[in-house]
Amino acid sequence: MILGFDPGRDKCGIAIMGREGQPQYHQVVSSQTAIARIKDLCRQYSLERVVMGDRTTAKSWKAKIESQLPQNVPVVFVDEHNSSLEARDRYWQMYPPQGLTRLIPRGMRLPPRPVDDIVAILLIERYLTGESSDRG
Protein backbone atom coordinates (compact mmCIF):
# COMPACT_ATOMS: atom_id res chain seq x y z
CA MET A 1 0.00 0.00 0.00
CA ILE A 2 1.12 3.54 -0.77
CA LEU A 3 0.09 6.58 1.23
CA GLY A 4 -0.30 9.80 -0.74
CA PHE A 5 0.08 13.06 1.13
CA ASP A 6 -0.75 16.55 -0.11
CA PRO A 7 0.75 18.87 2.52
CA GLY A 8 -0.68 22.27 3.25
CA ARG A 9 -0.56 25.03 5.83
CA ASP A 10 -4.19 24.65 6.97
CA LYS A 11 -5.37 21.32 5.54
CA CYS A 12 -3.79 18.22 4.04
CA GLY A 13 -5.01 15.49 1.74
CA ILE A 14 -4.31 11.87 2.58
CA ALA A 15 -5.01 8.80 0.44
CA ILE A 16 -4.14 5.10 0.56
CA MET A 17 -3.90 3.10 -2.63
CA GLY A 18 -2.67 -0.33 -3.59
CA ARG A 19 -0.53 -0.88 -6.66
CA GLU A 20 -3.65 -2.07 -8.50
CA GLY A 21 -4.75 1.57 -8.54
CA GLN A 22 -7.91 1.56 -6.42
CA PRO A 23 -8.11 4.09 -3.57
CA GLN A 24 -8.69 2.31 -0.26
CA TYR A 25 -9.06 5.51 1.74
CA HIS A 26 -9.02 9.26 1.16
CA GLN A 27 -9.75 12.21 3.40
CA VAL A 28 -8.96 15.89 3.94
CA VAL A 29 -7.67 16.55 7.46
CA SER A 30 -6.46 19.63 9.30
CA SER A 31 -2.72 20.19 9.22
CA GLN A 32 -2.67 19.89 13.00
CA THR A 33 -4.02 16.32 12.93
CA ALA A 34 -2.26 15.10 9.77
CA ILE A 35 0.73 13.39 11.42
CA ALA A 36 -1.49 11.57 13.94
CA ARG A 37 -3.76 10.39 11.11
CA ILE A 38 -0.78 9.18 9.08
CA LYS A 39 0.49 7.24 12.11
CA ASP A 40 -2.97 5.64 12.55
CA LEU A 41 -3.07 4.66 8.88
CA CYS A 42 0.44 3.23 9.11
CA ARG A 43 -0.79 0.92 11.86
CA GLN A 44 -3.95 0.05 9.92
CA TYR A 45 -2.35 -0.61 6.52
CA SER A 46 0.92 -2.23 5.57
CA LEU A 47 2.55 0.82 3.98
CA GLU A 48 5.42 0.34 1.58
CA ARG A 49 6.05 4.08 1.15
CA VAL A 50 4.70 7.61 1.44
CA VAL A 51 4.56 9.83 -1.63
CA MET A 52 4.01 13.52 -1.12
CA GLY A 53 3.74 16.73 -3.07
CA ASP A 54 6.93 18.71 -3.48
CA ARG A 55 5.61 22.25 -3.04
CA THR A 56 4.07 23.89 0.06
CA THR A 57 6.40 23.40 3.06
CA ALA A 58 7.25 19.93 1.72
CA LYS A 59 10.71 19.60 3.26
CA SER A 60 9.51 20.33 6.80
CA TRP A 61 6.55 17.95 6.38
CA LYS A 62 8.87 15.22 5.11
CA ALA A 63 11.08 15.58 8.19
CA LYS A 64 8.02 15.38 10.50
CA ILE A 65 6.68 12.29 8.76
CA GLU A 66 10.04 10.51 8.68
CA SER A 67 10.48 11.09 12.41
CA GLN A 68 7.09 9.48 13.16
CA LEU A 69 7.06 6.47 10.82
CA PRO A 70 9.08 3.25 10.89
CA GLN A 71 12.50 3.55 9.21
CA ASN A 72 11.51 1.04 6.50
CA VAL A 73 8.79 3.35 5.09
CA PRO A 74 10.53 5.77 2.71
CA VAL A 75 9.06 9.20 1.96
CA VAL A 76 9.48 10.40 -1.63
CA PHE A 77 8.55 13.63 -3.38
CA VAL A 78 6.29 13.74 -6.42
CA ASP A 79 5.87 16.73 -8.73
CA GLU A 80 2.72 18.50 -7.63
CA HIS A 81 2.48 20.87 -10.63
CA ASN A 82 -1.16 21.44 -11.73
CA SER A 83 -2.43 18.74 -9.37
CA SER A 84 -5.12 20.97 -7.82
CA LEU A 85 -6.65 21.74 -11.22
CA GLU A 86 -6.46 18.10 -12.20
CA ALA A 87 -8.10 17.13 -8.89
CA ARG A 88 -11.09 19.36 -9.64
CA ASP A 89 -11.70 17.48 -12.88
CA ARG A 90 -11.17 14.14 -11.16
CA TYR A 91 -13.69 15.12 -8.44
CA TRP A 92 -16.43 15.37 -11.08
CA GLN A 93 -15.40 11.98 -12.54
CA MET A 94 -15.62 10.39 -9.10
CA TYR A 95 -18.79 12.24 -8.10
CA PRO A 96 -20.72 13.11 -11.29
CA PRO A 97 -22.77 16.30 -11.05
CA GLN A 98 -26.41 15.91 -10.15
CA GLY A 99 -29.45 18.10 -10.72
CA LEU A 100 -28.83 21.65 -11.89
CA THR A 101 -25.06 21.30 -11.43
CA ARG A 102 -25.04 19.20 -14.62
CA LEU A 103 -26.08 22.31 -16.56
CA ILE A 104 -23.04 24.33 -15.46
CA PRO A 105 -20.26 24.15 -18.07
CA ARG A 106 -17.55 21.74 -16.96
CA GLY A 107 -14.81 24.37 -16.73
CA MET A 108 -16.94 26.53 -14.45
CA ARG A 109 -17.93 23.84 -11.92
CA LEU A 110 -16.27 24.07 -8.53
CA PRO A 111 -16.33 21.06 -6.21
CA PRO A 112 -18.43 21.66 -3.09
CA ARG A 113 -15.56 20.59 -0.79
CA PRO A 114 -11.75 20.71 -0.68
CA VAL A 115 -10.08 18.25 -3.07
CA ASP A 116 -6.74 17.81 -1.28
CA ASP A 117 -7.49 14.10 -0.79
CA ILE A 118 -7.98 13.71 -4.53
CA VAL A 119 -4.65 15.49 -5.05
CA ALA A 120 -3.14 12.80 -2.79
CA ILE A 121 -4.66 10.12 -5.06
CA LEU A 122 -3.17 11.86 -8.12
CA LEU A 123 0.25 12.00 -6.45
CA ILE A 124 0.17 8.23 -5.94
CA GLU A 125 -0.82 7.76 -9.59
CA ARG A 126 2.03 10.02 -10.69
CA TYR A 127 4.44 8.00 -8.56
CA LEU A 128 3.21 4.72 -10.02
CA THR A 129 3.69 6.04 -13.56
CA GLY A 130 7.22 7.20 -12.78
CA GLU A 131 6.69 10.92 -12.35
CA SER A 132 8.30 11.28 -8.92
CA SER A 133 11.05 13.81 -8.31
CA ASP A 134 12.97 11.19 -6.29
CA ARG A 135 12.26 7.47 -6.52
CA GLY A 136 13.72 6.58 -3.07
Side-chain angles (χ1 to χ4, degrees):
M1 293 290 190
I2 299 172
L3 184 140
F5 182 62
D6 176 36
R9 287 185 179 83
D10 300 317
K11 60 186 174 5
C12 300
I14 300 174
I16 300 277
M17 184 185 293
R19 287 196 171 271
E20 71 285 346
Q22 292 301 314
Q24 304 294 312
Y25 167 92
H26 59 97
Q27 182 180 20
V28 177
V29 299
S30 75
S31 295
Q32 295 171 342
T33 63
I35 297 295
R37 188 69 193 124
I38 289 171
K39 284 172 64 175
D40 288 344
L41 291 167
C42 189
R43 285 189 288 272
Q44 195 175 348
Y45 294 91
S46 178
L47 294 182
E48 90 185 48
R49 73 186 62 248
V50 173
V51 298
M52 62 180 287
D54 61 356
R55 308 284 164 145
T56 315
T57 63
K59 287 183 181 175
S60 63
W61 275 107
K62 182 178 182 182
K64 287 180 203 175
I65 292 169
E66 287 176 331
S67 72
Q68 298 294 318
L69 293 182
Q71 296 261 332
N72 65 338
V73 179
V75 179
V76 297
F77 287 124
V78 176
D79 183 9
E80 199 175 338
H81 185 71
N82 283 334
S83 58
S84 294
L85 290 174
E86 197 177 322
R88 277 196 209 160
D89 289 339
R90 178 67 64 86
Y91 174 88
W92 295 113
Q93 290 171 9
M94 293 170 70
Y95 308 101
Q98 304 293 314
L100 294 176
T101 308
R102 289 182 301 167
L103 302 176
I104 298 172
R106 193 171 125 195
M108 294 178 67
R109 286 186 209 133
L110 291 176
R113 66 164 184 85
V115 294
D116 305 72
D117 57 332
I118 298 173
V119 170
I121 291 170
L122 295 171
L123 295 175
I124 296 170
E125 291 173 354
R126 288 179 181 187
Y127 173 80
L128 291 173
T129 58
E131 295 180 44
S132 67
S133 352
D134 62 296
R135 296 284 298 190

